[in-house]
């Protein structure tokens, strides 16, 4: 049972009826998040969460207000007013390694065509940039270069003092590759040095490539079924939210190694990899789900699926690479995504989430709420420890005869 600890408990409403999506039932033995804090403050859709440090985060959305929160206690630290329209992007800009003083900043962009720099320690506006000709829709910080980028009708590069360094230019960070996804299901792996595609695959999400028996290949699908809503990655894999499903794409083998095509009842909006081979996904259906990537028994070698990857030989693919991929597939282990946790607390679409390790998981939603999910066992131990410390301070643990 989930325990509502703050803001009053209420049953979620407006969720669609459950379809053929997996269900855990009431008992969720592997799900640690059995307590929650409900954080209220916003009065419109909360679309963005950004981590400031190990125990603080900021939230923003369509009401144009930015809130700073304590992830341990759920305490509201600051309420930042400065934008006149909805927030369209947010990014944390921590101090560089050379700075002795820890100066935590956040950048917020708005439909009012401004970007504001905020001081997280004081909650004050540091500076506002108002020279944009259109709405800034994305903000990216390149920490190694101590600069930040704003993207809209133009791509601009700025330094920490908000000097415009260049406009509509290209910079690369330390990584040599990056991945993009589209609304029509294209997945492209790009080379960040020469801006050419290494791999392009439009058939990755077609169910016919994941079945054993021969099937008729669909020539057209509904756009929402193959739309790539969100991507994240680590050194080995790309984790993609595609339609209602989630997919794990191995970069070396150039294929999907595990998937759940109906992970949620509606479109998956955000996905992230956690430690211990786990994933978290959230959806328009108001749910947050925890998955575990598990190894299955080793299977005999199978031919590499045909498709855009092999048909056209994109990027650096060559005979040697094909032989390497074939050897890898012969000795590969198959995987599955198993549902281990189902967090139901929001009454509308969950936009995104943040993972704070021991402090919990933070989610934001179109229901105007932020929920801080806590490990029930850990919180119970902390409360017991606090109680004993108070008793010890009051000498109440001494035996009295």
């Amino acid at each position: 049972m989930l325990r509502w600890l703050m803001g009053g408990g209420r049953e979620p409403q407006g969720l669609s009826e459950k379809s053929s999506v997996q269900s855990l039932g009431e008992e969720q033995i592997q799900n640690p998040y059995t307590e929650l804090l409900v954080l209220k403050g916003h009065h419109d859709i909360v679309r963005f969460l950004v981590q400031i440090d190990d125990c603080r985060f900021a939230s923003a959305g369509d009401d144009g207000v930015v809130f700073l929160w304590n992830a341990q206690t759920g305490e509201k630290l600051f309420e930042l007013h400065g934008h006149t329209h909805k927030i369209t992007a947010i990014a944390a800009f921590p101090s560089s390694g050379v700075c002795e003083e820890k100066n935590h900043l956040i950048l917020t962009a708005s439909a009012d065509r401004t970007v504001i720099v905020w001081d997280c320690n004081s909650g004050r506006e540091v500076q506002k940039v108002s020279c944009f000709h259109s709405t800034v829709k994305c903000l990216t910080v390149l920490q190694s270069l101590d600069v930040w980028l704003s993207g809209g009708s133009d791509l601009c590069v700025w330094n920490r003092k908000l000097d415009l360094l260049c406009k509509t230019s290209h910079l690369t960070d330390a990584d040599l590759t990056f991945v993009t996804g589209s609304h029509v299901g294209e997945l492209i792996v790009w080379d960040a040095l020469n801006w050419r595609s290494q791999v392009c695959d439009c058939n990755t999400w077609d169910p016919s490539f994941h079945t054993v028996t021969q099937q008729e290949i669909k020539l057209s699908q509904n756009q929402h079924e193959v739309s790539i809503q969100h991507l994240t990655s680590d050194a080995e894999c790309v984790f993609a939210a595609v339609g209602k499903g989630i997919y794990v794409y191995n970069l070396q083998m150039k294929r999907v190694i595990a998937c759940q095509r109906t992970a949620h009842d509606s479109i998956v909006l955000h996905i992230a990899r956690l430690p211990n081979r786990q994933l978290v996904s959230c959806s328009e259906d108001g749910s947050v789900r925890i998955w575990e990537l598990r190894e299955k028994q080793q299977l005999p070698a199978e031919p590499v699926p045909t498709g855009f990857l092999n048909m056209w030989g994109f990027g650096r693919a060559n005979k040697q690479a094909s032989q390497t991929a074939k050897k890898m597939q012969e000795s590969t282990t198959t995987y599955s995504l198993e549902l281990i946790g189902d967090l139901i607390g929001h009454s509308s679409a969950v936009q995104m989430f943040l993972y704070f390790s021991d402090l919990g998981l933070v989610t934001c939603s179109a229901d105007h709420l932020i929920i801080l999910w806590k490990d029930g066992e850990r919180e119970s131990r902390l409360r017991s420890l606090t109680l004993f410390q108070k008793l010890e301070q009051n000498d109440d643990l001494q035996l009295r005869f």
Side-chain angles (χ1 to χ4, degrees):
M1 293 292 292
L2 291 175
R3 291 193 285 268
W4 295 76
L5 300 181
M6 180 179 173
R10 62 188 180 92
E11 293 296 327
Q13 298 176 351
L15 298 181
S16 58
E17 292 185 3
K18 295 296 178 185
S19 59
S20 58
V21 178
Q22 289 189 49
S23 178
L24 279 176
E26 291 188 8
E27 294 296 327
Q28 301 185 41
I29 301 174
Q30 299 180 75
N31 177 18
Y33 301 114
T34 56
E35 293 187 6
L36 55 87
L37 296 169
V38 180
L39 313 183
K40 295 182 178 180
H42 289 281
H43 56 270
D44 209 330
I45 299 175
V46 188
R47 298 188 185 274
F48 305 105
L49 299 170
V50 64
Q51 185 171 349
I52 299 170
D53 52 29
D54 292 339
C55 64
R56 291 184 299 171
F57 68 95
S59 62
D62 287 5
D63 57 11
V65 184
V66 182
F67 288 92
L68 271 57
W69 307 88
N70 183 307
Q72 173 65 57
T73 63
E75 176 189 2
K76 185 192 302 178
L77 303 175
F78 294 107
E79 186 172 334
L80 312 180
H81 294 268
H83 290 295
T84 58
H85 292 74
K86 67 179 182 179
I87 306 290
T88 54
I90 186 171
F93 196 2
S95 55
S96 60
V98 261
C99 297
E100 295 181 1
E101 184 181 350
K102 289 293 181 181
N103 184 21
H104 290 92
L105 305 175
I106 56 171
L107 311 169
T108 56
S110 169
D112 61 14
R113 299 186 181 182
T114 66
V115 170
I116 297 180
V117 183
W118 306 90
D119 186 330
C120 297
N121 296 330
S122 65
R124 294 179 179 178
E125 178 182 315
V126 176
Q127 195 170 347
K128 178 184 288 189
V129 184
S130 306
C131 59
F132 300 101
H133 299 294
S134 64
T135 300
V136 174
K137 296 184 177 180
C138 64
L139 295 168
T140 300
V141 173
L142 299 183
Q143 187 69 14
S144 60
L145 300 178
D146 202 29
V147 299
W148 59 279
L149 287 71
S150 61
S153 58
D154 298 308
L155 176 64
C156 301
V157 183
W158 311 78
N159 64 14
R160 186 174 290 273
K161 296 179 180 180
L162 273 68
D163 298 322
L164 180 60
L165 302 181
C166 55
K167 194 174 184 178
T168 316
S169 301
H170 300 289
L171 289 177
T172 60
D173 205 359
D175 296 329
L176 298 179
T177 60
F178 62 96
V179 183
T180 58
S182 76
H183 285 290
V184 294
E186 293 175 323
L187 178 70
I188 300 179
V189 181
W190 298 88
D191 189 316
L193 296 179
N194 58 22
W195 301 96
R196 295 179 181 177
S197 62
Q198 293 182 338
V199 178
C200 177
D201 199 349
C202 293
N203 298 322
T204 300
W205 325 116
D206 192 328
S208 62
F209 289 103
H210 303 285
T211 54
V212 178
T213 58
Q214 182 67 30
Q215 291 185 1
E216 179 183 354
I217 299 176
K218 294 182 180 180
L219 296 180
S220 63
Q221 292 178 300
N222 293 332
Q223 181 173 320
H224 72 272
E225 293 179 353
V226 295
S227 174
I228 301 177
Q229 303 296 328
H230 188 242
L231 291 170
T232 188
S233 64
D234 58 17
E236 298 179 0
C237 297
V238 174
F239 307 95
V242 184
K244 299 179 181 180
I246 54 179
Y247 292 74
V248 181
Y249 184 93
N250 188 283
L251 291 168
Q252 292 182 311
M253 291 185 283
K254 296 183 174 61
R255 69 179 182 90
V256 173
I257 60 172
C259 70
Q260 279 290 343
R261 299 188 195 97
T262 52
H264 290 266
D265 288 308
S266 190
I267 302 299
V268 181
L269 297 178
H270 195 77
I271 187 171
R273 180 186 178 276
L274 301 187
N276 303 321
R277 305 179 70 83
Q278 293 182 352
L279 298 174
V280 177
S281 58
C282 65
S283 166
E284 286 183 347
D285 63 15
S287 66
V288 181
R289 300 194 137 194
I290 307 173
W291 308 84
E292 186 173 79
L293 185 62
R294 295 177 180 171
E295 292 186 3
K296 297 171 67 176
Q297 62 180 8
Q298 197 167 7
L299 299 177
E302 296 179 359
V304 178
T306 58
F308 278 43
L309 290 172
N310 299 301
M311 187 184 301
W312 303 108
F314 278 92
R316 301 173 179 171
N318 51 37
K319 185 175 181 181
Q320 183 178 359
S322 300
Q323 292 175 348
T324 304
K326 185 176 180 181
K327 288 181 180 179
M328 289 177 63
Q329 188 157 3
E330 289 175 353
S331 60
T332 192
T333 302
T334 58
Y335 298 88
S336 65
L337 283 171
E338 302 296 332
L339 180 63
I340 63 172
D342 199 355
L343 310 182
I344 303 296
H346 288 289
S347 61
S348 192
V350 180
Q351 303 294 317
M352 65 172 296
F353 52 82
L354 289 177
Y355 176 66
F356 271 92
S357 188
D358 291 339
L359 298 185
L361 188 74
V362 184
T363 57
C364 65
S365 170
D367 61 11
H368 311 174
L369 298 178
I370 297 169
I371 294 182
L372 179 54
W373 304 85
K374 293 286 190 177
D375 183 328
E377 292 186 5
R378 179 179 181 275
E379 295 301 308
S380 179
R381 290 195 301 269
L382 290 176
R383 285 192 292 269
S384 298
L385 179 61
T386 302
L387 177 61
F388 276 104
Q389 287 175 343
K390 288 182 178 179
L391 292 173
E392 196 172 34
Q393 290 173 0
N394 296 331
D395 295 329
D396 289 339
L397 290 181
Q398 294 180 1
L399 295 177
R400 298 180 180 177
F401 296 95

